[in-house]
Amino acid sequence: MPRTTLRPEKFARIAIAFSFVVATFSGCAKSQPLKPPPSIYASAEDVELNFRDRTFVLGDNNEIAEVRPLDWRKDRFLKLPFWFGVNILVPGVMAPKEGDFYVISEATLEKPLDAPGEWMIEAGSSLVKQETVFVTTRTHYLGTGKILPTIVQYMGKREFKRPDGKTVQIPVLREVSMPMKWTLGGHIPKDYARYST
């Protein structure tokens, strides 16, 4: 059988390619997973510690909810996202995450549901309002109307049957804080739902 010999240039190219493959695979094995950037929003622990069953003050920021307990200085606050609902126009954009905390603002109680403390509300962005289940824990609403901003936790979706027989999935929000303290002067306007605690 005739012997084949590699020319030095070809041998060098093969050796370089082999060392590149080895370096690539060994580098992959040692690489650390990328850590997500730190969240700008308050942690679950901060929310539970400072706002569970307590009222709060809401800042003037229309893009991010700036919230603080009543006994904090005016320049100290925690940040939470506003509830924009499940985005039905562009799915996946700002999609809510189950277990995360939000502030509902400009929501309206539509009707009580069969279970005590459960209401169907209209909530979401200023452009798209959608039906959402609101589960209260300390606040007892006495009728329909607007809701003062409230810190809530997103609990996922629940299946409902519409009058036409169609089944739909509706987001569920559970009350965490009591309603926001009214800070605009005077009495709370009449179009807001009355409540007791």
Side-chain angles (χ1 to χ4, degrees):
M1 276 183 102
R3 286 178 59 194
T4 57
T5 57
L6 289 175
R7 286 182 289 179
E9 319 81 70
K10 196 167 186 180
F11 179 81
R13 275 187 261 148
I14 292 172
I16 290 169
F18 179 76
S19 63
F20 176 79
V21 169
V22 169
T24 300
F25 281 107
S26 63
C28 289
K30 294 178 187 174
S31 64
Q32 297 292 326
L34 293 175
K35 290 183 181 177
S39 175
I40 63 168
Y41 299 122
S43 68
E45 183 181 8
D46 283 336
V47 174
E48 292 288 349
L49 181 66
N50 292 292
F51 301 108
R52 173 64 67 182
D53 296 333
R54 296 170 64 187
T55 192
F56 66 98
V57 175
L58 178 65
D60 297 329
N61 191 329
N62 290 328
E63 295 179 11
I64 295 174
E66 296 174 346
V67 293
R68 64 178 172 86
L70 301 181
D71 56 350
W72 282 16
R73 297 184 325 261
K74 289 185 178 181
D75 61 345
R76 182 181 173 206
F77 52 81
L78 296 172
K79 294 180 180 180
L80 288 174
F82 282 110
W83 173 257
F84 290 120
V86 180
N87 196 321
I88 55 176
L89 297 179
V90 188
V93 175
M94 302 211 41
K97 294 180 184 172
E98 197 168 323
D100 278 0
F101 296 92
Y102 297 86
V103 172
I104 52 170
S105 177
E106 296 299 319
T108 306
L109 292 171
E110 294 293 322
K111 62 181 179 182
L113 298 176
D114 293 335
E118 291 194 356
W119 290 81
M120 189 66 74
I121 67 173
E122 290 288 326
S125 70
S126 57
L127 295 176
V128 180
K129 299 283 186 188
Q130 64 180 132
E131 286 187 320
T132 303
V133 175
F134 182 43
V135 181
T136 61
T137 52
R138 282 279 306 271
T139 307
H140 304 288
Y141 286 97
L142 309 176
T144 59
K146 286 185 182 177
I147 306 170
L148 286 169
T150 305
I151 298 171
V152 295
Q153 188 172 26
Y154 175 52
M155 306 306 295
K157 292 183 182 179
R158 189 188 298 174
E159 194 172 275
F160 279 84
K161 268 199 175 173
R162 292 196 181 279
D164 61 4
K166 183 181 176 185
T167 301
V168 293
Q169 298 285 327
I170 295 181
V172 179
L173 300 176
R174 184 170 61 197
E175 177 186 63
V176 172
S177 73
M178 290 168 55
M180 174 198 88
K181 179 178 175 59
W182 184 259
T183 57
L184 300 179
H187 297 292
I188 299 172
K190 291 181 179 179
D191 57 344
Y192 280 87
R194 302 297 149 188
Y195 63 88
S196 64
T197 56

